[in-house]
Amino acid sequence: MRKFLVILFVAVVVFSFAEKIRVGVAIPAADHGWTGGMVWWAQYAIKQYQNDPNVEFYLVTAKEPSEQIAQVQALLAKGIDALVINPYESAPLTPICVQAFRQGVFTVIVDRGINSEEYNTYIAGDNYMYGYLAGKYIAEKLKGKGNIVVIRGIPCSIDDERVKAFKDAISLYPDLKIIAEQPGYWSREKAFEVMQTLLTKFPTIDAVWTGDDDMLHGVLLALKQAGRDKNIVLVGGACEKNIVKMIMDGNPLIGVNFTYPPNMISTAINLAVMALRKQDLNGFYQRGIPRKIILATETVTKENAKDYYFPESVF
Amino acid sequence: MNLSKYLIVLILIGLMVFSGILSPAFLKPRNILNIFWQTSYVGIIAIGITFVMIAGGIDLSVGSMLALLGSVAIQIVNKLGDKTSSVILSFLFTYGLAVLLGFGVGLLTTKGKIPAFVTTLGGMAIYRSLVLNFANGGVYMTMSQKYTSIGMKFVLGLPLPMIVFIVYAILAYILLDKTRFGRYVYAVGANETAALYSAIKVDMVRTWTYVVSGISVATSAILLSSMMSAVSSSSTGNGFELDAIAAAVIGGTSLSGGKGSVFGTFFGALILGVINNMLVMLNVAVYLQGMVKGLIIIAAVLLQNLRKE
């Protein structure tokens, strides 16, 4: 009995003096709806741990690569056990991420990769399927025939990959035509302008694909204003909450959406904590956290929309 | 002299003919209306910036200020409910805030002796970060029918923002060309010392130009936020300062002060609008759009400068 109490006492002492886990989270500042969502979800995930005295978080947001490098340097100087980072740009952020990894900081790279394999875990959305499924849906909805307008985001490699995938999907249908492909810079106002102009140019437009839901809002407004918000297939993406709500409510114009979830940052934060606590993923036969995770692009329809509707989120 | 004044109109017409030949849909009346409509938001701001620039200043804060004022306007309507009175109160408050902010920046620049570039660059960062903070990086939306009906309204078959843009330009023209204040603005920008010796209150004149800029931003903010029924804390107004300054410069406003006109800025803004529209109409390849836009802007200014010599 006495022996047991001693062991218990020792265990309690060891447990209460257990090293506190310190996690640095470095993400870009909000510059459009989706990044705003990522900031919100980072805060949300951190809040989940607020009653856990053994984890501490430092969240920083950067407006440009050099600022983010400085922030990560500061985090490393402060001393962190894990770094969860969505690099503002791949190339400039690579050295500092590699440095963190070499120092033994558990490094989780989120979405935008780095130009090195020296990290612990990489988690990202699936840009290819994001574009491909949208193309496939539009092709099937139009029964393989019609005029499509593509309003893409800010021209960049992610955007290129999505657009290429979209074109791959519709290339199976020779009677589908992309009559215009213009950038909407992931902004409502810009997409509105572009759509307004395209509506003047083309008397018949059968489908519009926008790179994300912010721009879909602009397109909706332009269609409504021109009185052409009928008999048209609209697809956005990334599940902005108001668009998901429209799907949920059975809006005749928007039947589907595809995930590219900003809450991957929350998953990444959990992965970092799990790794430091030596937990493994349920259902995996392997110990330890996987090194590369590409999240599935999930299809949101009227039936399952409520599972993707987060009214408190900013995105 | 007169020809160089109207040269900008000729450049505009030339651009339109060129676009019309390449894409007949460009010249549809509907499209011309759209260009006017789409230009009005930056155009109104550019008119305000013209005052600031002629007086020898610069205003980089307009884009972020637009997001701030737009979200304030939306928030007030949302708080007070879907009534005419709440829309009016929202207007009053938005314009009041704009005047205050303009006055503040003006005083910091003139009395505080901080270069306008710095005060307004600071303002740009401060306003944006305030909106981002209040909206948590998200979007301000309104469901108010009363408020959103304004931005989408058509009067006599013309979109309201376009009418406001034209009326605003006429009023600004009168203020700048036909009043004592307007003459002082030129005097201050052309030669500060001379203006001082002529007993012009240089600091006050400069300060008021920032108020004019603020009022312009408020007008644009109300029109834009009521049309979109939303303001994105992160993206609304991004780059407006550059477009507005570009419009003024294309219109012949000097970056070093003393020169410029509302007439020029009005057409400068339209040229920018035509370029943006043309890029879409002609389906110019995505990655080349920046180059085409840049070349046309430089060519337009070059043409005018060559003409003057």
Side-chain angles (χ1 to χ4, degrees), chain A residues 24-31 35-43 46 58-72 74-75 83-88 93 265 269, chain B residues 129 132-133 136-137:
Chain A
V25 181
I27 50 180
D31 60 7
T35 40
M38 182 170 259
V39 177
W40 190 88
W41 278 106
Q43 289 164 341
I46 289 170
Y58 311 105
L59 174 67
V60 290
T61 61
K63 279 206 186 58
E64 37 136 9
S66 64
E67 189 184 2
Q68 195 174 42
I69 294 170
Q71 287 172 343
V72 177
L75 287 174
L83 172 67
V84 177
I85 180 168
N86 179 11
Y88 202 107
L93 265 305
I265 191 71
I269 288 170
Chain B
S129 114
L132 281 168
N133 181 54
N136 226 333

mmCIF file of all heavy atoms in Angstrom, chain A residues 24-31 35-43 46 58-72 74-75 83-88 93 265 269, chain B residues 129 132-133 136-137:
data_model
loop_
_atom_site.group_PDB
_atom_site.id
_atom_site.type_symbol
_atom_site.label_atom_id
_atom_site.label_comp_id
_atom_site.label_asym_id
_atom_site.label_seq_id
_atom_site.Cartn_x
_atom_site.Cartn_y
_atom_site.Cartn_z
ATOM 1 N N GLY A 24 3.937 27.131 -32.253
ATOM 2 C CA GLY A 24 3.861 28.385 -32.998
ATOM 3 C C GLY A 24 3.043 28.178 -34.262
ATOM 4 O O GLY A 24 3.231 27.190 -34.965
ATOM 5 N N VAL A 25 2.107 29.090 -34.522
ATOM 6 C CA VAL A 25 1.281 28.990 -35.724
ATOM 7 C C VAL A 25 1.515 30.253 -36.553
ATOM 8 O O VAL A 25 1.247 31.358 -36.090
ATOM 9 C CB VAL A 25 -0.218 28.863 -35.367
ATOM 10 C CG1 VAL A 25 -1.050 28.727 -36.641
ATOM 11 C CG2 VAL A 25 -0.448 27.665 -34.450
ATOM 12 N N ALA A 26 2.050 30.079 -37.743
ATOM 13 C CA ALA A 26 2.368 31.228 -38.599
ATOM 14 C C ALA A 26 1.590 31.132 -39.897
ATOM 15 O O ALA A 26 1.775 30.190 -40.668
ATOM 16 C CB ALA A 26 3.869 31.280 -38.888
ATOM 17 N N ILE A 27 0.696 32.092 -40.129
ATOM 18 C CA ILE A 27 -0.129 32.050 -41.339
ATOM 19 C C ILE A 27 -0.174 33.439 -41.972
ATOM 20 O O ILE A 27 0.092 34.435 -41.309
ATOM 21 C CB ILE A 27 -1.566 31.557 -41.039
ATOM 22 C CG1 ILE A 27 -2.159 32.340 -39.864
ATOM 23 C CG2 ILE A 27 -1.585 30.086 -40.722
ATOM 24 C CD1 ILE A 27 -3.557 31.911 -39.512
ATOM 25 N N PRO A 28 -0.517 33.500 -43.254
ATOM 26 C CA PRO A 28 -0.676 34.812 -43.894
ATOM 27 C C PRO A 28 -1.872 35.559 -43.306
ATOM 28 O O PRO A 28 -2.848 34.924 -42.881
ATOM 29 C CB PRO A 28 -0.931 34.469 -45.361
ATOM 30 C CG PRO A 28 -0.453 33.076 -45.539
ATOM 31 C CD PRO A 28 -0.678 32.406 -44.223
ATOM 32 N N ALA A 29 -1.774 36.880 -43.280
ATOM 33 C CA ALA A 29 -2.915 37.688 -42.845
ATOM 34 C C ALA A 29 -4.030 37.581 -43.877
ATOM 35 O O ALA A 29 -3.796 37.217 -45.029
ATOM 36 C CB ALA A 29 -2.477 39.140 -42.686
ATOM 37 N N ALA A 30 -5.236 37.880 -43.454
ATOM 38 C CA ALA A 30 -6.368 37.779 -44.368
ATOM 39 C C ALA A 30 -6.216 38.749 -45.517
ATOM 40 O O ALA A 30 -6.057 39.938 -45.304
ATOM 41 C CB ALA A 30 -7.654 38.085 -43.603
ATOM 42 N N ASP A 31 -6.192 38.244 -46.760
ATOM 43 C CA ASP A 31 -6.233 39.167 -47.890
ATOM 44 C C ASP A 31 -7.393 38.863 -48.823
ATOM 45 O O ASP A 31 -7.652 39.580 -49.760
ATOM 46 C CB ASP A 31 -4.897 39.227 -48.641
ATOM 47 C CG ASP A 31 -4.489 37.865 -49.198
ATOM 48 O OD1 ASP A 31 -5.308 36.934 -49.105
ATOM 49 O OD2 ASP A 31 -3.368 37.749 -49.717
ATOM 50 N N THR A 35 -8.520 33.303 -46.859
ATOM 51 C CA THR A 35 -7.458 33.479 -45.859
ATOM 52 C C THR A 35 -8.039 34.016 -44.556
ATOM 53 O O THR A 35 -7.561 33.679 -43.478
ATOM 54 C CB THR A 35 -6.350 34.425 -46.369
ATOM 55 O OG1 THR A 35 -6.950 35.498 -47.067
ATOM 56 C CG2 THR A 35 -5.372 33.712 -47.268
ATOM 57 N N GLY A 36 -9.091 34.844 -44.675
ATOM 58 C CA GLY A 36 -9.801 35.280 -43.472
ATOM 59 C C GLY A 36 -10.330 34.065 -42.723
ATOM 60 O O GLY A 36 -10.238 33.966 -41.501
ATOM 61 N N GLY A 37 -10.883 33.115 -43.494
ATOM 62 C CA GLY A 37 -11.378 31.879 -42.908
ATOM 63 C C GLY A 37 -10.279 31.108 -42.201
ATOM 64 O O GLY A 37 -10.473 30.560 -41.116
ATOM 65 N N MET A 38 -9.102 31.089 -42.812
ATOM 66 C CA MET A 38 -8.002 30.347 -42.203
ATOM 67 C C MET A 38 -7.592 30.962 -40.857
ATOM 68 O O MET A 38 -7.352 30.247 -39.889
ATOM 69 C CB MET A 38 -6.801 30.286 -43.146
ATOM 70 C CG MET A 38 -5.658 29.491 -42.570
ATOM 71 S SD MET A 38 -4.351 29.146 -43.748
ATOM 72 C CE MET A 38 -4.691 27.453 -44.195
ATOM 73 N N VAL A 39 -7.549 32.294 -40.797
ATOM 74 C CA VAL A 39 -7.233 32.954 -39.526
ATOM 75 C C VAL A 39 -8.282 32.578 -38.473
ATOM 76 O O VAL A 39 -7.962 32.236 -37.341
ATOM 77 C CB VAL A 39 -7.173 34.493 -39.703
ATOM 78 C CG1 VAL A 39 -6.922 35.170 -38.375
ATOM 79 C CG2 VAL A 39 -6.097 34.876 -40.706
ATOM 80 N N TRP A 40 -9.549 32.623 -38.906
ATOM 81 C CA TRP A 40 -10.636 32.319 -37.975
ATOM 82 C C TRP A 40 -10.518 30.885 -37.456
ATOM 83 O O TRP A 40 -10.642 30.627 -36.264
ATOM 84 C CB TRP A 40 -11.995 32.510 -38.675
ATOM 85 C CG TRP A 40 -13.150 32.455 -37.726
ATOM 86 C CD1 TRP A 40 -13.684 33.492 -37.020
ATOM 87 C CD2 TRP A 40 -13.933 31.283 -37.389
ATOM 88 N NE1 TRP A 40 -14.737 33.047 -36.263
ATOM 89 C CE2 TRP A 40 -14.917 31.702 -36.464
ATOM 90 C CE3 TRP A 40 -13.897 29.947 -37.764
ATOM 91 C CZ2 TRP A 40 -15.852 30.827 -35.924
ATOM 92 C CZ3 TRP A 40 -14.829 29.072 -37.219
ATOM 93 C CH2 TRP A 40 -15.793 29.515 -36.313
ATOM 94 N N TRP A 41 -10.233 29.938 -38.348
ATOM 95 C CA TRP A 41 -10.147 28.534 -37.945
ATOM 96 C C TRP A 41 -8.918 28.268 -37.081
ATOM 97 O O TRP A 41 -8.943 27.385 -36.206
ATOM 98 C CB TRP A 41 -10.150 27.615 -39.169
ATOM 99 C CG TRP A 41 -11.532 27.367 -39.691
ATOM 100 C CD1 TRP A 41 -12.099 27.883 -40.811
ATOM 101 C CD2 TRP A 41 -12.541 26.542 -39.093
ATOM 102 N NE1 TRP A 41 -13.393 27.445 -40.962
ATOM 103 C CE2 TRP A 41 -13.692 26.622 -39.917
ATOM 104 C CE3 TRP A 41 -12.600 25.756 -37.942
ATOM 105 C CZ2 TRP A 41 -14.876 25.930 -39.628
ATOM 106 C CZ3 TRP A 41 -13.783 25.063 -37.663
ATOM 107 C CH2 TRP A 41 -14.897 25.169 -38.504
ATOM 108 N N ALA A 42 -7.856 29.027 -37.302
ATOM 109 C CA ALA A 42 -6.681 28.876 -36.439
ATOM 110 C C ALA A 42 -7.040 29.289 -35.018
ATOM 111 O O ALA A 42 -6.743 28.585 -34.044
ATOM 112 C CB ALA A 42 -5.524 29.716 -36.972
ATOM 113 N N GLN A 43 -7.723 30.426 -34.919
ATOM 114 C CA GLN A 43 -8.141 30.885 -33.598
ATOM 115 C C GLN A 43 -9.106 29.884 -32.962
ATOM 116 O O GLN A 43 -9.046 29.610 -31.764
ATOM 117 C CB GLN A 43 -8.820 32.260 -33.702
ATOM 118 C CG GLN A 43 -7.840 33.378 -34.021
ATOM 119 C CD GLN A 43 -8.535 34.638 -34.512
ATOM 120 O OE1 GLN A 43 -9.684 34.595 -34.953
ATOM 121 N NE2 GLN A 43 -7.828 35.755 -34.446
ATOM 122 N N ILE A 46 -7.224 26.869 -31.635
ATOM 123 C CA ILE A 46 -6.463 27.213 -30.434
ATOM 124 C C ILE A 46 -7.396 27.309 -29.230
ATOM 125 O O ILE A 46 -7.068 26.874 -28.127
ATOM 126 C CB ILE A 46 -5.695 28.533 -30.677
ATOM 127 C CG1 ILE A 46 -4.557 28.277 -31.674
ATOM 128 C CG2 ILE A 46 -5.154 29.103 -29.377
ATOM 129 C CD1 ILE A 46 -3.884 29.518 -32.184
ATOM 130 N N TYR A 58 1.243 30.256 -29.961
ATOM 131 C CA TYR A 58 1.566 31.607 -30.395
ATOM 132 C C TYR A 58 1.125 31.728 -31.843
ATOM 133 O O TYR A 58 1.672 31.061 -32.717
ATOM 134 C CB TYR A 58 3.068 31.875 -30.300
ATOM 135 C CG TYR A 58 3.675 31.477 -28.979
ATOM 136 C CD1 TYR A 58 4.464 30.329 -28.874
ATOM 137 C CD2 TYR A 58 3.453 32.248 -27.839
ATOM 138 C CE1 TYR A 58 5.018 29.957 -27.661
ATOM 139 C CE2 TYR A 58 4.000 31.891 -26.616
ATOM 140 C CZ TYR A 58 4.785 30.734 -26.534
ATOM 141 O OH TYR A 58 5.321 30.366 -25.336
ATOM 142 N N LEU A 59 0.120 32.565 -32.061
ATOM 143 C CA LEU A 59 -0.408 32.732 -33.415
ATOM 144 C C LEU A 59 0.100 34.047 -34.007
ATOM 145 O O LEU A 59 -0.043 35.096 -33.396
ATOM 146 C CB LEU A 59 -1.940 32.738 -33.389
ATOM 147 C CG LEU A 59 -2.647 33.053 -34.704
ATOM 148 C CD1 LEU A 59 -2.423 31.973 -35.736
ATOM 149 C CD2 LEU A 59 -4.141 33.252 -34.483
ATOM 150 N N VAL A 60 0.726 33.973 -35.186
ATOM 151 C CA VAL A 60 1.170 35.194 -35.852
ATOM 152 C C VAL A 60 0.663 35.204 -37.287
ATOM 153 O O VAL A 60 0.553 34.159 -37.928
ATOM 154 C CB VAL A 60 2.712 35.324 -35.858
ATOM 155 C CG1 VAL A 60 3.226 35.609 -34.465
ATOM 156 C CG2 VAL A 60 3.361 34.067 -36.416
ATOM 157 N N THR A 61 0.320 36.387 -37.794
ATOM 158 C CA THR A 61 -0.112 36.513 -39.180
ATOM 159 C C THR A 61 0.769 37.541 -39.879
ATOM 160 O O THR A 61 1.143 38.543 -39.294
ATOM 161 C CB THR A 61 -1.581 36.968 -39.284
ATOM 162 O OG1 THR A 61 -1.702 38.250 -38.670
ATOM 163 C CG2 THR A 61 -2.511 35.997 -38.602
ATOM 164 N N ALA A 62 1.093 37.258 -41.131
ATOM 165 C CA ALA A 62 2.043 38.108 -41.857
ATOM 166 C C ALA A 62 1.435 38.642 -43.143
ATOM 167 O O ALA A 62 0.601 37.991 -43.766
ATOM 168 C CB ALA A 62 3.297 37.318 -42.186
ATOM 169 N N LYS A 63 1.844 39.832 -43.531
ATOM 170 C CA LYS A 63 1.333 40.458 -44.753
ATOM 171 C C LYS A 63 2.250 40.225 -45.936
ATOM 172 O O LYS A 63 1.908 40.525 -47.069
ATOM 173 C CB LYS A 63 1.151 41.951 -44.543
ATOM 174 C CG LYS A 63 -0.127 42.290 -43.828
ATOM 175 C CD LYS A 63 -0.564 43.691 -44.205
ATOM 176 C CE LYS A 63 -1.762 44.116 -43.398
ATOM 177 N NZ LYS A 63 -1.496 44.075 -41.951
ATOM 178 N N GLU A 64 3.453 39.749 -45.676
ATOM 179 C CA GLU A 64 4.373 39.477 -46.778
ATOM 180 C C GLU A 64 5.430 38.490 -46.305
ATOM 181 O O GLU A 64 5.612 38.303 -45.105
ATOM 182 C CB GLU A 64 4.993 40.771 -47.301
ATOM 183 C CG GLU A 64 5.286 41.763 -46.207
ATOM 184 C CD GLU A 64 6.634 42.407 -46.350
ATOM 185 O OE1 GLU A 64 7.264 42.207 -47.390
ATOM 186 O OE2 GLU A 64 7.071 43.064 -45.402
ATOM 187 N N PRO A 65 6.143 37.874 -47.254
ATOM 188 C CA PRO A 65 7.082 36.813 -46.883
ATOM 189 C C PRO A 65 8.125 37.251 -45.854
ATOM 190 O O PRO A 65 8.380 36.529 -44.887
ATOM 191 C CB PRO A 65 7.744 36.462 -48.216
ATOM 192 C CG PRO A 65 6.764 36.851 -49.247
ATOM 193 C CD PRO A 65 6.026 38.028 -48.710
ATOM 194 N N SER A 66 8.721 38.446 -46.049
ATOM 195 C CA SER A 66 9.804 38.831 -45.142
ATOM 196 C C SER A 66 9.280 38.987 -43.710
ATOM 197 O O SER A 66 9.966 38.661 -42.745
ATOM 198 C CB SER A 66 10.460 40.123 -45.618
ATOM 199 O OG SER A 66 9.528 41.175 -45.566
ATOM 200 N N GLU A 67 8.036 39.464 -43.601
ATOM 201 C CA GLU A 67 7.444 39.605 -42.266
ATOM 202 C C GLU A 67 7.261 38.230 -41.632
ATOM 203 O O GLU A 67 7.526 38.037 -40.439
ATOM 204 C CB GLU A 67 6.107 40.330 -42.383
ATOM 205 C CG GLU A 67 5.516 40.720 -41.037
ATOM 206 C CD GLU A 67 4.139 41.355 -41.164
ATOM 207 O OE1 GLU A 67 3.623 41.470 -42.294
ATOM 208 O OE2 GLU A 67 3.578 41.726 -40.114
ATOM 209 N N GLN A 68 6.840 37.270 -42.455
ATOM 210 C CA GLN A 68 6.614 35.937 -41.910
ATOM 211 C C GLN A 68 7.934 35.284 -41.473
ATOM 212 O O GLN A 68 7.990 34.630 -40.430
ATOM 213 C CB GLN A 68 5.905 35.051 -42.939
ATOM 214 C CG GLN A 68 5.323 33.797 -42.310
ATOM 215 C CD GLN A 68 4.503 32.988 -43.287
ATOM 216 O OE1 GLN A 68 4.876 32.808 -44.433
ATOM 217 N NE2 GLN A 68 3.371 32.493 -42.814
ATOM 218 N N ILE A 69 8.987 35.520 -42.250
ATOM 219 C CA ILE A 69 10.295 34.980 -41.868
ATOM 220 C C ILE A 69 10.694 35.528 -40.499
ATOM 221 O O ILE A 69 11.100 34.783 -39.599
ATOM 222 C CB ILE A 69 11.360 35.337 -42.933
ATOM 223 C CG1 ILE A 69 11.036 34.611 -44.246
ATOM 224 C CG2 ILE A 69 12.754 34.955 -42.451
ATOM 225 C CD1 ILE A 69 11.875 35.075 -45.415
ATOM 226 N N ALA A 70 10.536 36.853 -40.339
ATOM 227 C CA ALA A 70 10.884 37.481 -39.064
ATOM 228 C C ALA A 70 10.064 36.892 -37.923
ATOM 229 O O ALA A 70 10.570 36.632 -36.831
ATOM 230 C CB ALA A 70 10.668 38.985 -39.154
ATOM 231 N N GLN A 71 8.784 36.640 -38.194
ATOM 232 C CA GLN A 71 7.914 36.079 -37.152
ATOM 233 C C GLN A 71 8.374 34.682 -36.750
ATOM 234 O O GLN A 71 8.404 34.349 -35.561
ATOM 235 C CB GLN A 71 6.470 36.028 -37.659
ATOM 236 C CG GLN A 71 5.814 37.391 -37.743
ATOM 237 C CD GLN A 71 4.459 37.345 -38.420
ATOM 238 O OE1 GLN A 71 4.133 36.367 -39.100
ATOM 239 N NE2 GLN A 71 3.671 38.389 -38.234
ATOM 240 N N VAL A 72 8.737 33.875 -37.748
ATOM 241 C CA VAL A 72 9.168 32.510 -37.434
ATOM 242 C C VAL A 72 10.495 32.549 -36.674
ATOM 243 O O VAL A 72 10.689 31.790 -35.710
ATOM 244 C CB VAL A 72 9.289 31.649 -38.711
ATOM 245 C CG1 VAL A 72 9.804 30.262 -38.375
ATOM 246 C CG2 VAL A 72 7.943 31.545 -39.400
ATOM 247 N N ALA A 74 11.420 34.842 -34.664
ATOM 248 C CA ALA A 74 11.083 35.218 -33.288
ATOM 249 C C ALA A 74 10.530 34.025 -32.517
ATOM 250 O O ALA A 74 10.864 33.805 -31.350
ATOM 251 C CB ALA A 74 10.084 36.369 -33.297
ATOM 252 N N LEU A 75 9.672 33.238 -33.193
ATOM 253 C CA LEU A 75 9.086 32.059 -32.538
ATOM 254 C C LEU A 75 10.191 31.067 -32.154
ATOM 255 O O LEU A 75 10.178 30.505 -31.050
ATOM 256 C CB LEU A 75 8.073 31.380 -33.460
ATOM 257 C CG LEU A 75 6.738 32.091 -33.667
ATOM 258 C CD1 LEU A 75 5.910 31.368 -34.730
ATOM 259 C CD2 LEU A 75 5.959 32.155 -32.362
ATOM 260 N N LEU A 83 6.053 23.868 -35.064
ATOM 261 C CA LEU A 83 5.748 25.013 -35.915
ATOM 262 C C LEU A 83 4.702 24.579 -36.929
ATOM 263 O O LEU A 83 4.914 23.616 -37.668
ATOM 264 C CB LEU A 83 7.011 25.499 -36.637
ATOM 265 C CG LEU A 83 6.802 26.570 -37.711
ATOM 266 C CD1 LEU A 83 6.339 27.883 -37.093
ATOM 267 C CD2 LEU A 83 8.061 26.788 -38.532
ATOM 268 N N VAL A 84 3.561 25.270 -36.916
ATOM 269 C CA VAL A 84 2.543 25.017 -37.930
ATOM 270 C C VAL A 84 2.541 26.227 -38.837
ATOM 271 O O VAL A 84 2.267 27.337 -38.388
ATOM 272 C CB VAL A 84 1.155 24.828 -37.288
ATOM 273 C CG1 VAL A 84 0.088 24.638 -38.371
ATOM 274 C CG2 VAL A 84 1.167 23.644 -36.339
ATOM 275 N N ILE A 85 2.885 26.029 -40.094
ATOM 276 C CA ILE A 85 3.054 27.204 -40.955
ATOM 277 C C ILE A 85 2.420 27.018 -42.320
ATOM 278 O O ILE A 85 2.555 25.975 -42.957
ATOM 279 C CB ILE A 85 4.556 27.560 -41.100
ATOM 280 C CG1 ILE A 85 4.735 28.793 -42.014
ATOM 281 C CG2 ILE A 85 5.389 26.382 -41.614
ATOM 282 C CD1 ILE A 85 6.124 29.376 -41.979
ATOM 283 N N ASN A 86 1.641 28.034 -42.718
ATOM 284 C CA ASN A 86 1.198 28.121 -44.095
ATOM 285 C C ASN A 86 2.105 29.157 -44.743
ATOM 286 O O ASN A 86 1.921 30.350 -44.540
ATOM 287 C CB ASN A 86 -0.269 28.560 -44.153
ATOM 288 C CG ASN A 86 -0.782 28.702 -45.570
ATOM 289 O OD1 ASN A 86 -0.128 28.295 -46.526
ATOM 290 N ND2 ASN A 86 -1.939 29.302 -45.710
ATOM 291 N N PRO A 87 3.134 28.711 -45.488
ATOM 292 C CA PRO A 87 4.129 29.658 -45.998
ATOM 293 C C PRO A 87 3.495 30.690 -46.919
ATOM 294 O O PRO A 87 2.681 30.336 -47.780
ATOM 295 C CB PRO A 87 5.091 28.776 -46.785
ATOM 296 C CG PRO A 87 4.838 27.390 -46.319
ATOM 297 C CD PRO A 87 3.395 27.339 -45.928
ATOM 298 N N TYR A 88 3.857 31.944 -46.703
ATOM 299 C CA TYR A 88 3.313 33.000 -47.556
ATOM 300 C C TYR A 88 3.742 32.772 -49.000
ATOM 301 O O TYR A 88 2.958 32.911 -49.920
ATOM 302 C CB TYR A 88 3.807 34.365 -47.071
ATOM 303 C CG TYR A 88 2.920 35.481 -47.516
ATOM 304 C CD1 TYR A 88 2.090 36.126 -46.602
ATOM 305 C CD2 TYR A 88 2.870 35.878 -48.841
ATOM 306 C CE1 TYR A 88 1.250 37.136 -47.010
ATOM 307 C CE2 TYR A 88 2.037 36.885 -49.254
ATOM 308 C CZ TYR A 88 1.229 37.513 -48.346
ATOM 309 O OH TYR A 88 0.382 38.509 -48.753
ATOM 310 N N LEU A 93 10.369 31.189 -47.821
ATOM 311 C CA LEU A 93 10.126 30.630 -46.495
ATOM 312 C C LEU A 93 10.826 29.297 -46.284
ATOM 313 O O LEU A 93 10.878 28.777 -45.164
ATOM 314 C CB LEU A 93 8.616 30.460 -46.263
ATOM 315 C CG LEU A 93 7.884 31.586 -45.528
ATOM 316 C CD1 LEU A 93 8.554 31.867 -44.180
ATOM 317 C CD2 LEU A 93 7.823 32.870 -46.334
ATOM 318 N N ILE A 265 -6.136 24.230 -41.351
ATOM 319 C CA ILE A 265 -5.193 24.772 -40.369
ATOM 320 C C ILE A 265 -5.511 24.189 -38.981
ATOM 321 O O ILE A 265 -4.611 23.904 -38.194
ATOM 322 C CB ILE A 265 -5.212 26.323 -40.362
ATOM 323 C CG1 ILE A 265 -4.059 26.902 -39.538
ATOM 324 C CG2 ILE A 265 -6.503 26.885 -39.813
ATOM 325 C CD1 ILE A 265 -2.701 26.756 -40.139
ATOM 326 N N ILE A 269 -2.997 21.975 -36.710
ATOM 327 C CA ILE A 269 -2.673 22.280 -35.308
ATOM 328 C C ILE A 269 -2.863 21.027 -34.445
ATOM 329 O O ILE A 269 -2.019 20.687 -33.610
ATOM 330 C CB ILE A 269 -3.545 23.461 -34.814
ATOM 331 C CG1 ILE A 269 -3.058 24.763 -35.467
ATOM 332 C CG2 ILE A 269 -3.506 23.581 -33.288
ATOM 333 C CD1 ILE A 269 -3.959 25.950 -35.253
ATOM 334 N N SER B 129 -6.436 47.691 -41.030
ATOM 335 C CA SER B 129 -6.310 46.780 -39.905
ATOM 336 C C SER B 129 -7.517 46.922 -38.967
ATOM 337 O O SER B 129 -7.953 45.947 -38.362
ATOM 338 C CB SER B 129 -4.968 47.011 -39.214
ATOM 339 O OG SER B 129 -5.127 47.503 -37.944
ATOM 340 N N LEU B 132 -10.273 44.853 -40.628
ATOM 341 C CA LEU B 132 -9.955 43.430 -40.488
ATOM 342 C C LEU B 132 -10.228 42.973 -39.065
ATOM 343 O O LEU B 132 -10.813 41.919 -38.826
ATOM 344 C CB LEU B 132 -8.482 43.187 -40.833
ATOM 345 C CG LEU B 132 -8.129 43.127 -42.307
ATOM 346 C CD1 LEU B 132 -6.628 43.180 -42.496
ATOM 347 C CD2 LEU B 132 -8.690 41.854 -42.931
ATOM 348 N N ASN B 133 -9.825 43.795 -38.123
ATOM 349 C CA ASN B 133 -10.009 43.430 -36.721
ATOM 350 C C ASN B 133 -11.489 43.315 -36.373
ATOM 351 O O ASN B 133 -11.927 42.328 -35.789
ATOM 352 C CB ASN B 133 -9.327 44.468 -35.840
ATOM 353 C CG ASN B 133 -9.462 44.125 -34.381
ATOM 354 O OD1 ASN B 133 -9.120 43.030 -33.970
ATOM 355 N ND2 ASN B 133 -9.991 45.047 -33.604
ATOM 356 N N ASN B 136 -12.978 40.469 -38.169
ATOM 357 C CA ASN B 136 -12.260 39.219 -37.985
ATOM 358 C C ASN B 136 -11.768 38.643 -39.306
ATOM 359 O O ASN B 136 -11.733 37.433 -39.497
ATOM 360 C CB ASN B 136 -13.194 38.212 -37.301
ATOM 361 C CG ASN B 136 -12.486 37.512 -36.167
ATOM 362 O OD1 ASN B 136 -11.252 37.378 -36.201
ATOM 363 N ND2 ASN B 136 -13.225 37.085 -35.175
ATOM 364 N N GLY B 137 -11.450 39.522 -40.227
ATOM 365 C CA GLY B 137 -10.971 39.062 -41.527
ATOM 366 C C GLY B 137 -12.079 38.660 -42.486
ATOM 367 O O GLY B 137 -11.808 38.252 -43.605
#
